[in-house]
Amino acid sequence: MTHIKRVVLLMIIINIVFLSGCSSFFVENNTVEEIAPVIFWSIQEGESGKLKISTLVPPLINEKKSMLTLQVNLLKQGRKDFNLVYYRELKSGQLRMLFISEELAKKGILPLIDTLLTDPDISQRLYLVVIKGNFDDYIRNQVDKQENLDYFLYRMLKHYETKNQGDITVINLHQFLKRLYSPFSDPILPVFKVNKENFIYNGTAFFKDDKLVATISDMNDQILQLLNNDYYLKLLPIPSLAVSLGQIRSKVIIKLAPDYSSISIKVNLVGRIEEYRGDKNIVDSDELEDLNQEIKSYLEKQTTALLQKMQQWKVDPLQVGTHSLTPFSQPIKDEEWLRKWGNMELQINYQLDLQTMTNVNK
């Protein structure tokens, strides 16, 4: 009797395995000529609360490219409906970029993010980009002028991510989600400004939860790269001081007062002066020291102003709050941390070690 029970139990297990895995028997049997792997989606607000989603087809094939655009209620609906208006089946397995309009980002992108996350075909290495302007107009105007335009945009983002030069912010889906769901950490995304002729890096967007609340650019964006993103800048021009610094590496030390009344940020910068067009003779050690003090004062002033804006916007993209975590103590609540962060006194100190391209007279 025991033997019969074992046989019956074995047959039940086998049936469960076959039934649960039955979907694997349905293999998609497409030929190369029948499919078109999509490289990017562009998403902006549509009419009556809908999403306007666009993509470029076909990618990397020697055929005339064209843009497909649909207005849909759901992201998955757009993916399905694209196949009804194009003679090849569009595949999202090669999706590498998602361009999100600034207006949509301000309203919140969590539904989009969750949909992408649950799609097994889409990689978490997907680049996320906020767009100022009409991205679709740019693509339509440039598609015949720039060969493989979509792939060119992907290679640009890939280059800056790989080289870690600090020139621009590059964030993928995994990194965004990690910041979104981690305590004391607010997400950031790169911002590009577009018109019919140009696709230009415009700075970094700060998010509170999944909503865009502010954007920084120019010097503020460069300081962000030094404080938190890459801790490196290949080049840092400071026009007001007529100087360009290069090959800058930073080490940032953050300390919070026990009562959270103040924060101390010490930034050790190592780099070199690559260009100077001011009035000082930097071959002379005294005048070089004066220039170093001017650079130090400028960076401290700019960094203080940037952090004050973060306090005003109630965002923590530098993940300062993580320094409040200590062993064997209860973590501070998010609401309480934001209140204390907004009222903290800022103590910013830069220590510079800048080499010159010429010998200095002592």
mmCIF file of all heavy atoms in Angstrom, residues 126-167:
data_model
loop_
_atom_site.group_PDB
_atom_site.id
_atom_site.type_symbol
_atom_site.label_atom_id
_atom_site.label_comp_id
_atom_site.label_asym_id
_atom_site.label_seq_id
_atom_site.Cartn_x
_atom_site.Cartn_y
_atom_site.Cartn_z
ATOM 1 N N LEU A 126 18.536 49.421 -18.380
ATOM 2 C CA LEU A 126 17.840 50.404 -19.203
ATOM 3 C C LEU A 126 18.141 51.816 -18.699
ATOM 4 O O LEU A 126 17.936 52.133 -17.525
ATOM 5 C CB LEU A 126 16.335 50.131 -19.137
ATOM 6 C CG LEU A 126 15.389 51.154 -19.779
ATOM 7 C CD1 LEU A 126 15.443 51.017 -21.293
ATOM 8 C CD2 LEU A 126 13.967 50.930 -19.269
ATOM 9 N N TYR A 127 18.620 52.698 -19.595
ATOM 10 C CA TYR A 127 18.918 54.077 -19.207
ATOM 11 C C TYR A 127 17.623 54.887 -19.132
ATOM 12 O O TYR A 127 16.774 54.808 -20.027
ATOM 13 C CB TYR A 127 19.866 54.731 -20.209
ATOM 14 C CG TYR A 127 21.239 54.112 -20.260
ATOM 15 C CD1 TYR A 127 21.754 53.598 -21.451
ATOM 16 C CD2 TYR A 127 22.035 54.028 -19.124
ATOM 17 C CE1 TYR A 127 23.011 53.032 -21.504
ATOM 18 C CE2 TYR A 127 23.294 53.460 -19.159
ATOM 19 C CZ TYR A 127 23.781 52.959 -20.357
ATOM 20 O OH TYR A 127 25.026 52.392 -20.401
ATOM 21 N N LEU A 128 17.508 55.703 -18.082
ATOM 22 C CA LEU A 128 16.364 56.587 -17.906
ATOM 23 C C LEU A 128 16.825 58.029 -18.097
ATOM 24 O O LEU A 128 17.831 58.445 -17.515
ATOM 25 C CB LEU A 128 15.755 56.423 -16.513
ATOM 26 C CG LEU A 128 15.316 55.005 -16.118
ATOM 27 C CD1 LEU A 128 14.764 55.010 -14.698
ATOM 28 C CD2 LEU A 128 14.286 54.465 -17.090
ATOM 29 N N VAL A 129 16.075 58.799 -18.897
ATOM 30 C CA VAL A 129 16.462 60.173 -19.225
ATOM 31 C C VAL A 129 15.230 61.065 -19.185
ATOM 32 O O VAL A 129 14.171 60.699 -19.701
ATOM 33 C CB VAL A 129 17.101 60.248 -20.636
ATOM 34 C CG1 VAL A 129 17.419 61.693 -21.003
ATOM 35 C CG2 VAL A 129 18.360 59.389 -20.707
ATOM 36 N N VAL A 130 15.370 62.245 -18.553
ATOM 37 C CA VAL A 130 14.314 63.258 -18.565
ATOM 38 C C VAL A 130 14.574 64.219 -19.720
ATOM 39 O O VAL A 130 15.714 64.644 -19.941
ATOM 40 C CB VAL A 130 14.264 64.034 -17.233
ATOM 41 C CG1 VAL A 130 13.264 65.184 -17.312
ATOM 42 C CG2 VAL A 130 13.901 63.097 -16.083
ATOM 43 N N ILE A 131 13.518 64.551 -20.446
ATOM 44 C CA ILE A 131 13.639 65.385 -21.642
ATOM 45 C C ILE A 131 12.909 66.708 -21.466
ATOM 46 O O ILE A 131 11.742 66.743 -21.076
ATOM 47 C CB ILE A 131 13.068 64.655 -22.881
ATOM 48 C CG1 ILE A 131 13.912 63.419 -23.213
ATOM 49 C CG2 ILE A 131 13.020 65.600 -24.080
ATOM 50 C CD1 ILE A 131 15.329 63.728 -23.661
ATOM 51 N N LYS A 132 13.626 67.813 -21.744
ATOM 52 C CA LYS A 132 13.013 69.139 -21.843
ATOM 53 C C LYS A 132 12.842 69.468 -23.316
ATOM 54 O O LYS A 132 13.829 69.545 -24.048
ATOM 55 C CB LYS A 132 13.905 70.199 -21.184
ATOM 56 C CG LYS A 132 13.862 70.251 -19.680
ATOM 57 C CD LYS A 132 14.680 71.433 -19.174
ATOM 58 C CE LYS A 132 14.544 71.589 -17.672
ATOM 59 N NZ LYS A 132 15.283 72.786 -17.172
ATOM 60 N N GLY A 133 11.633 69.672 -23.754
ATOM 61 C CA GLY A 133 11.387 69.934 -25.160
ATOM 62 C C GLY A 133 10.701 68.758 -25.824
ATOM 63 O O GLY A 133 10.327 67.775 -25.173
ATOM 64 N N ASN A 134 10.531 68.859 -27.142
ATOM 65 C CA ASN A 134 9.828 67.823 -27.894
ATOM 66 C C ASN A 134 10.828 66.865 -28.526
ATOM 67 O O ASN A 134 11.433 67.155 -29.550
ATOM 68 C CB ASN A 134 8.951 68.470 -28.978
ATOM 69 C CG ASN A 134 7.931 67.488 -29.535
ATOM 70 O OD1 ASN A 134 8.258 66.341 -29.832
ATOM 71 N ND2 ASN A 134 6.690 67.942 -29.691
ATOM 72 N N PHE A 135 11.004 65.716 -27.886
ATOM 73 C CA PHE A 135 11.962 64.725 -28.355
ATOM 74 C C PHE A 135 11.550 64.140 -29.703
ATOM 75 O O PHE A 135 12.401 63.848 -30.552
ATOM 76 C CB PHE A 135 12.099 63.608 -27.320
ATOM 77 C CG PHE A 135 13.128 62.573 -27.660
ATOM 78 C CD1 PHE A 135 14.485 62.858 -27.562
ATOM 79 C CD2 PHE A 135 12.744 61.299 -28.071
ATOM 80 C CE1 PHE A 135 15.431 61.895 -27.874
ATOM 81 C CE2 PHE A 135 13.687 60.335 -28.378
ATOM 82 C CZ PHE A 135 15.035 60.631 -28.280
ATOM 83 N N ASP A 136 10.260 63.973 -29.909
ATOM 84 C CA ASP A 136 9.777 63.403 -31.171
ATOM 85 C C ASP A 136 10.136 64.306 -32.353
ATOM 86 O O ASP A 136 10.516 63.816 -33.424
ATOM 87 C CB ASP A 136 8.265 63.196 -31.114
ATOM 88 C CG ASP A 136 7.875 62.086 -30.154
ATOM 89 O OD1 ASP A 136 8.784 61.485 -29.543
ATOM 90 O OD2 ASP A 136 6.669 61.822 -30.003
ATOM 91 N N ASP A 137 10.028 65.629 -32.176
ATOM 92 C CA ASP A 137 10.407 66.555 -33.248
ATOM 93 C C ASP A 137 11.889 66.427 -33.583
ATOM 94 O O ASP A 137 12.278 66.498 -34.755
ATOM 95 C CB ASP A 137 10.094 68.001 -32.831
ATOM 96 C CG ASP A 137 8.608 68.317 -32.915
ATOM 97 O OD1 ASP A 137 7.860 67.487 -33.463
ATOM 98 O OD2 ASP A 137 8.202 69.385 -32.420
ATOM 99 N N TYR A 138 12.695 66.256 -32.559
ATOM 100 C CA TYR A 138 14.146 66.086 -32.775
ATOM 101 C C TYR A 138 14.435 64.837 -33.599
ATOM 102 O O TYR A 138 15.204 64.871 -34.566
ATOM 103 C CB TYR A 138 14.862 66.014 -31.431
ATOM 104 C CG TYR A 138 16.295 65.555 -31.527
ATOM 105 C CD1 TYR A 138 17.293 66.416 -31.986
ATOM 106 C CD2 TYR A 138 16.655 64.250 -31.165
ATOM 107 C CE1 TYR A 138 18.616 65.992 -32.079
ATOM 108 C CE2 TYR A 138 17.972 63.828 -31.255
ATOM 109 C CZ TYR A 138 18.944 64.704 -31.712
ATOM 110 O OH TYR A 138 20.249 64.269 -31.817
ATOM 111 N N ILE A 139 13.801 63.732 -33.233
ATOM 112 C CA ILE A 139 14.028 62.474 -33.952
ATOM 113 C C ILE A 139 13.579 62.594 -35.400
ATOM 114 O O ILE A 139 14.299 62.198 -36.326
ATOM 115 C CB ILE A 139 13.304 61.314 -33.250
ATOM 116 C CG1 ILE A 139 13.927 61.034 -31.875
ATOM 117 C CG2 ILE A 139 13.356 60.056 -34.109
ATOM 118 C CD1 ILE A 139 15.347 60.531 -31.920
ATOM 119 N N ARG A 140 12.399 63.139 -35.625
ATOM 120 C CA ARG A 140 11.888 63.257 -36.991
ATOM 121 C C ARG A 140 12.799 64.125 -37.861
ATOM 122 O O ARG A 140 13.002 63.850 -39.044
ATOM 123 C CB ARG A 140 10.473 63.846 -36.975
ATOM 124 C CG ARG A 140 9.412 62.927 -36.408
ATOM 125 C CD ARG A 140 8.025 63.485 -36.656
ATOM 126 N NE ARG A 140 6.999 62.695 -36.008
ATOM 127 C CZ ARG A 140 6.477 62.986 -34.817
ATOM 128 N NH1 ARG A 140 6.900 64.056 -34.167
ATOM 129 N NH2 ARG A 140 5.546 62.225 -34.281
ATOM 130 N N ASN A 141 13.340 65.165 -37.268
ATOM 131 C CA ASN A 141 14.177 66.090 -38.028
ATOM 132 C C ASN A 141 15.578 65.548 -38.284
ATOM 133 O O ASN A 141 16.214 65.880 -39.294
ATOM 134 C CB ASN A 141 14.275 67.424 -37.282
ATOM 135 C CG ASN A 141 14.932 68.510 -38.113
ATOM 136 O OD1 ASN A 141 14.475 68.838 -39.202
ATOM 137 N ND2 ASN A 141 16.024 69.073 -37.604
ATOM 138 N N GLN A 142 16.047 64.682 -37.398
ATOM 139 C CA GLN A 142 17.434 64.223 -37.491
ATOM 140 C C GLN A 142 17.591 62.814 -38.062
ATOM 141 O O GLN A 142 18.701 62.409 -38.394
ATOM 142 C CB GLN A 142 18.084 64.248 -36.091
ATOM 143 C CG GLN A 142 18.198 65.637 -35.481
ATOM 144 C CD GLN A 142 19.133 66.533 -36.250
ATOM 145 O OE1 GLN A 142 20.204 66.118 -36.686
ATOM 146 N NE2 GLN A 142 18.731 67.784 -36.434
ATOM 147 N N VAL A 143 16.501 62.093 -38.171
ATOM 148 C CA VAL A 143 16.612 60.682 -38.533
ATOM 149 C C VAL A 143 17.239 60.475 -39.909
ATOM 150 O O VAL A 143 17.964 59.493 -40.131
ATOM 151 C CB VAL A 143 15.221 59.995 -38.446
ATOM 152 C CG1 VAL A 143 14.269 60.562 -39.506
ATOM 153 C CG2 VAL A 143 15.353 58.489 -38.613
ATOM 154 N N ASP A 144 17.011 61.398 -40.832
ATOM 155 C CA ASP A 144 17.601 61.263 -42.159
ATOM 156 C C ASP A 144 19.003 61.884 -42.228
ATOM 157 O O ASP A 144 19.764 61.602 -43.151
ATOM 158 C CB ASP A 144 16.710 61.934 -43.209
ATOM 159 C CG ASP A 144 15.384 61.200 -43.379
ATOM 160 O OD1 ASP A 144 15.381 59.963 -43.214
ATOM 161 O OD2 ASP A 144 14.367 61.858 -43.663
ATOM 162 N N LYS A 145 19.334 62.729 -41.254
ATOM 163 C CA LYS A 145 20.645 63.374 -41.246
ATOM 164 C C LYS A 145 21.701 62.551 -40.511
ATOM 165 O O LYS A 145 22.872 62.552 -40.885
ATOM 166 C CB LYS A 145 20.544 64.758 -40.582
ATOM 167 C CG LYS A 145 19.559 65.699 -41.250
ATOM 168 C CD LYS A 145 19.461 67.012 -40.477
ATOM 169 C CE LYS A 145 18.437 67.943 -41.081
ATOM 170 N NZ LYS A 145 18.319 69.215 -40.314
ATOM 171 N N GLN A 146 21.279 61.848 -39.470
ATOM 172 C CA GLN A 146 22.199 61.077 -38.633
ATOM 173 C C GLN A 146 21.920 59.588 -38.787
ATOM 174 O O GLN A 146 20.860 59.094 -38.414
ATOM 175 C CB GLN A 146 22.037 61.484 -37.172
ATOM 176 C CG GLN A 146 22.806 60.638 -36.180
ATOM 177 C CD GLN A 146 24.297 60.851 -36.277
ATOM 178 O OE1 GLN A 146 24.768 61.974 -36.232
ATOM 179 N NE2 GLN A 146 25.053 59.770 -36.424
ATOM 180 N N GLU A 147 22.861 58.873 -39.354
ATOM 181 C CA GLU A 147 22.693 57.433 -39.552
ATOM 182 C C GLU A 147 22.667 56.722 -38.204
ATOM 183 O O GLU A 147 23.462 57.013 -37.312
ATOM 184 C CB GLU A 147 23.837 56.892 -40.406
ATOM 185 C CG GLU A 147 23.685 55.423 -40.762
ATOM 186 C CD GLU A 147 24.810 54.921 -41.646
ATOM 187 O OE1 GLU A 147 25.721 55.714 -41.955
ATOM 188 O OE2 GLU A 147 24.773 53.739 -42.027
ATOM 189 N N ASN A 148 21.739 55.792 -38.040
ATOM 190 C CA ASN A 148 21.596 55.027 -36.800
ATOM 191 C C ASN A 148 21.506 55.946 -35.586
ATOM 192 O O ASN A 148 22.234 55.790 -34.593
ATOM 193 C CB ASN A 148 22.755 54.045 -36.639
ATOM 194 C CG ASN A 148 22.764 52.984 -37.716
ATOM 195 O OD1 ASN A 148 21.703 52.567 -38.199
ATOM 196 N ND2 ASN A 148 23.935 52.539 -38.113
ATOM 197 N N LEU A 149 20.620 56.916 -35.651
ATOM 198 C CA LEU A 149 20.496 57.927 -34.612
ATOM 199 C C LEU A 149 20.210 57.307 -33.248
ATOM 200 O O LEU A 149 20.794 57.719 -32.237
ATOM 201 C CB LEU A 149 19.388 58.912 -34.984
ATOM 202 C CG LEU A 149 19.063 60.005 -33.968
ATOM 203 C CD1 LEU A 149 20.285 60.871 -33.707
ATOM 204 C CD2 LEU A 149 17.894 60.847 -34.453
ATOM 205 N N ASP A 150 19.312 56.340 -33.194
ATOM 206 C CA ASP A 150 18.966 55.732 -31.911
ATOM 207 C C ASP A 150 20.160 55.023 -31.282
ATOM 208 O O ASP A 150 20.395 55.127 -30.076
ATOM 209 C CB ASP A 150 17.782 54.770 -32.063
ATOM 210 C CG ASP A 150 17.899 53.888 -33.297
ATOM 211 O OD1 ASP A 150 18.890 54.030 -34.053
ATOM 212 O OD2 ASP A 150 17.007 53.056 -33.521
ATOM 213 N N TYR A 151 20.920 54.320 -32.112
ATOM 214 C CA TYR A 151 22.105 53.630 -31.595
ATOM 215 C C TYR A 151 23.173 54.637 -31.170
ATOM 216 O O TYR A 151 23.888 54.428 -30.178
ATOM 217 C CB TYR A 151 22.667 52.686 -32.656
ATOM 218 C CG TYR A 151 23.834 51.848 -32.175
ATOM 219 C CD1 TYR A 151 23.654 50.853 -31.222
ATOM 220 C CD2 TYR A 151 25.120 52.054 -32.674
ATOM 221 C CE1 TYR A 151 24.717 50.094 -30.771
ATOM 222 C CE2 TYR A 151 26.186 51.296 -32.234
ATOM 223 C CZ TYR A 151 25.978 50.325 -31.284
ATOM 224 O OH TYR A 151 27.044 49.571 -30.835
ATOM 225 N N PHE A 152 23.270 55.758 -31.872
ATOM 226 C CA PHE A 152 24.217 56.817 -31.511
ATOM 227 C C PHE A 152 23.914 57.357 -30.121
ATOM 228 O O PHE A 152 24.821 57.576 -29.302
ATOM 229 C CB PHE A 152 24.146 57.931 -32.555
ATOM 230 C CG PHE A 152 24.710 59.247 -32.102
ATOM 231 C CD1 PHE A 152 26.079 59.456 -32.042
ATOM 232 C CD2 PHE A 152 23.863 60.281 -31.731
ATOM 233 C CE1 PHE A 152 26.584 60.670 -31.612
ATOM 234 C CE2 PHE A 152 24.357 61.499 -31.304
ATOM 235 C CZ PHE A 152 25.730 61.689 -31.241
ATOM 236 N N LEU A 153 22.642 57.570 -29.809
ATOM 237 C CA LEU A 153 22.268 58.074 -28.487
ATOM 238 C C LEU A 153 22.602 57.054 -27.398
ATOM 239 O O LEU A 153 23.081 57.415 -26.312
ATOM 240 C CB LEU A 153 20.767 58.395 -28.454
ATOM 241 C CG LEU A 153 20.313 59.543 -29.366
ATOM 242 C CD1 LEU A 153 18.791 59.669 -29.316
ATOM 243 C CD2 LEU A 153 20.967 60.854 -28.976
ATOM 244 N N TYR A 154 22.375 55.786 -27.699
ATOM 245 C CA TYR A 154 22.706 54.739 -26.722
ATOM 246 C C TYR A 154 24.206 54.680 -26.463
ATOM 247 O O TYR A 154 24.643 54.591 -25.310
ATOM 248 C CB TYR A 154 22.203 53.380 -27.218
ATOM 249 C CG TYR A 154 22.827 52.218 -26.488
ATOM 250 C CD1 TYR A 154 22.514 51.966 -25.155
ATOM 251 C CD2 TYR A 154 23.739 51.374 -27.125
ATOM 252 C CE1 TYR A 154 23.087 50.904 -24.477
ATOM 253 C CE2 TYR A 154 24.319 50.316 -26.453
ATOM 254 C CZ TYR A 154 23.993 50.085 -25.124
ATOM 255 O OH TYR A 154 24.575 49.045 -24.459
ATOM 256 N N ARG A 155 25.015 54.759 -27.522
ATOM 257 C CA ARG A 155 26.463 54.676 -27.354
ATOM 258 C C ARG A 155 26.990 55.884 -26.578
ATOM 259 O O ARG A 155 27.965 55.772 -25.827
ATOM 260 C CB ARG A 155 27.151 54.594 -28.721
ATOM 261 C CG ARG A 155 26.945 53.286 -29.458
ATOM 262 C CD ARG A 155 27.329 52.082 -28.632
ATOM 263 N NE ARG A 155 28.696 52.179 -28.106
ATOM 264 C CZ ARG A 155 29.230 51.286 -27.284
ATOM 265 N NH1 ARG A 155 28.502 50.267 -26.848
ATOM 266 N NH2 ARG A 155 30.477 51.426 -26.860
ATOM 267 N N MET A 156 26.355 57.031 -26.723
ATOM 268 C CA MET A 156 26.764 58.209 -25.966
ATOM 269 C C MET A 156 26.576 57.975 -24.468
ATOM 270 O O MET A 156 27.490 58.220 -23.661
ATOM 271 C CB MET A 156 25.964 59.423 -26.409
ATOM 272 C CG MET A 156 26.298 60.688 -25.631
ATOM 273 S SD MET A 156 25.093 62.007 -25.860
ATOM 274 C CE MET A 156 23.658 61.281 -25.078
ATOM 275 N N LEU A 157 25.394 57.497 -24.071
ATOM 276 C CA LEU A 157 25.141 57.228 -22.659
ATOM 277 C C LEU A 157 26.052 56.128 -22.131
ATOM 278 O O LEU A 157 26.574 56.222 -21.013
ATOM 279 C CB LEU A 157 23.675 56.846 -22.461
ATOM 280 C CG LEU A 157 22.642 57.939 -22.754
ATOM 281 C CD1 LEU A 157 21.231 57.370 -22.695
ATOM 282 C CD2 LEU A 157 22.785 59.097 -21.782
ATOM 283 N N LYS A 158 26.258 55.111 -22.936
ATOM 284 C CA LYS A 158 27.123 54.000 -22.538
ATOM 285 C C LYS A 158 28.556 54.478 -22.324
ATOM 286 O O LYS A 158 29.231 54.057 -21.373
ATOM 287 C CB LYS A 158 27.082 52.916 -23.621
ATOM 288 C CG LYS A 158 27.894 51.670 -23.300
ATOM 289 C CD LYS A 158 27.278 50.888 -22.163
ATOM 290 C CE LYS A 158 28.023 49.581 -21.943
ATOM 291 N NZ LYS A 158 27.476 48.830 -20.778
ATOM 292 N N HIS A 159 29.021 55.350 -23.189
ATOM 293 C CA HIS A 159 30.388 55.880 -23.083
ATOM 294 C C HIS A 159 30.590 56.607 -21.755
ATOM 295 O O HIS A 159 31.559 56.344 -21.036
ATOM 296 C CB HIS A 159 30.663 56.833 -24.247
ATOM 297 C CG HIS A 159 31.905 57.654 -24.078
ATOM 298 N ND1 HIS A 159 33.162 57.145 -24.308
ATOM 299 C CD2 HIS A 159 32.076 58.947 -23.687
ATOM 300 C CE1 HIS A 159 34.069 58.081 -24.062
ATOM 301 N NE2 HIS A 159 33.439 59.181 -23.692
ATOM 302 N N TYR A 160 29.664 57.519 -21.421
ATOM 303 C CA TYR A 160 29.838 58.298 -20.201
ATOM 304 C C TYR A 160 29.646 57.453 -18.947
ATOM 305 O O TYR A 160 30.241 57.734 -17.905
ATOM 306 C CB TYR A 160 28.887 59.486 -20.197
ATOM 307 C CG TYR A 160 29.345 60.596 -21.112
ATOM 308 C CD1 TYR A 160 28.669 60.881 -22.301
ATOM 309 C CD2 TYR A 160 30.485 61.350 -20.814
ATOM 310 C CE1 TYR A 160 29.106 61.898 -23.145
ATOM 311 C CE2 TYR A 160 30.932 62.351 -21.651
ATOM 312 C CZ TYR A 160 30.234 62.625 -22.815
ATOM 313 O OH TYR A 160 30.680 63.621 -23.655
ATOM 314 N N GLU A 161 28.831 56.409 -19.037
ATOM 315 C CA GLU A 161 28.684 55.508 -17.898
ATOM 316 C C GLU A 161 29.967 54.712 -17.689
ATOM 317 O O GLU A 161 30.438 54.553 -16.550
ATOM 318 C CB GLU A 161 27.521 54.548 -18.132
ATOM 319 C CG GLU A 161 27.337 53.549 -16.992
ATOM 320 C CD GLU A 161 26.350 52.456 -17.318
ATOM 321 O OE1 GLU A 161 26.392 51.922 -18.445
ATOM 322 O OE2 GLU A 161 25.517 52.137 -16.454
ATOM 323 N N THR A 162 30.561 54.226 -18.763
ATOM 324 C CA THR A 162 31.752 53.381 -18.665
ATOM 325 C C THR A 162 32.976 54.175 -18.221
ATOM 326 O O THR A 162 33.764 53.720 -17.389
ATOM 327 C CB THR A 162 32.037 52.707 -20.018
ATOM 328 O OG1 THR A 162 30.880 51.956 -20.420
ATOM 329 C CG2 THR A 162 33.234 51.775 -19.908
ATOM 330 N N LYS A 163 33.134 55.380 -18.773
ATOM 331 C CA LYS A 163 34.335 56.167 -18.498
ATOM 332 C C LYS A 163 34.306 56.853 -17.131
ATOM 333 O O LYS A 163 35.363 57.218 -16.610
ATOM 334 C CB LYS A 163 34.522 57.229 -19.592
ATOM 335 C CG LYS A 163 34.741 56.651 -20.987
ATOM 336 C CD LYS A 163 35.997 55.794 -21.045
ATOM 337 C CE LYS A 163 36.222 55.246 -22.444
ATOM 338 N NZ LYS A 163 37.423 54.388 -22.522
ATOM 339 N N ASN A 164 33.104 57.035 -16.547
ATOM 340 C CA ASN A 164 32.982 57.686 -15.243
ATOM 341 C C ASN A 164 33.739 59.013 -15.194
ATOM 342 O O ASN A 164 34.516 59.281 -14.268
ATOM 343 C CB ASN A 164 33.495 56.760 -14.127
ATOM 344 C CG ASN A 164 32.633 55.534 -13.938
ATOM 345 O OD1 ASN A 164 31.418 55.614 -14.037
ATOM 346 N ND2 ASN A 164 33.252 54.399 -13.691
ATOM 347 N N GLN A 165 33.553 59.854 -16.192
ATOM 348 C CA GLN A 165 34.283 61.107 -16.290
ATOM 349 C C GLN A 165 33.641 62.229 -15.478
ATOM 350 O O GLN A 165 34.235 63.291 -15.308
ATOM 351 C CB GLN A 165 34.379 61.553 -17.756
ATOM 352 C CG GLN A 165 35.183 60.620 -18.621
ATOM 353 C CD GLN A 165 35.240 61.053 -20.072
ATOM 354 O OE1 GLN A 165 36.017 60.527 -20.851
ATOM 355 N NE2 GLN A 165 34.446 62.016 -20.449
ATOM 356 N N GLY A 166 32.444 62.009 -14.977
ATOM 357 C CA GLY A 166 31.777 63.054 -14.222
ATOM 358 C C GLY A 166 31.201 64.151 -15.085
ATOM 359 O O GLY A 166 30.721 65.161 -14.566
ATOM 360 N N ASP A 167 31.276 64.006 -16.403
ATOM 361 C CA ASP A 167 30.763 65.059 -17.285
ATOM 362 C C ASP A 167 29.247 65.141 -17.229
ATOM 363 O O ASP A 167 28.675 66.228 -17.263
ATOM 364 C CB ASP A 167 31.219 64.805 -18.724
ATOM 365 C CG ASP A 167 32.715 64.955 -18.886
ATOM 366 O OD1 ASP A 167 33.283 65.849 -18.238
ATOM 367 O OD2 ASP A 167 33.318 64.181 -19.649
#
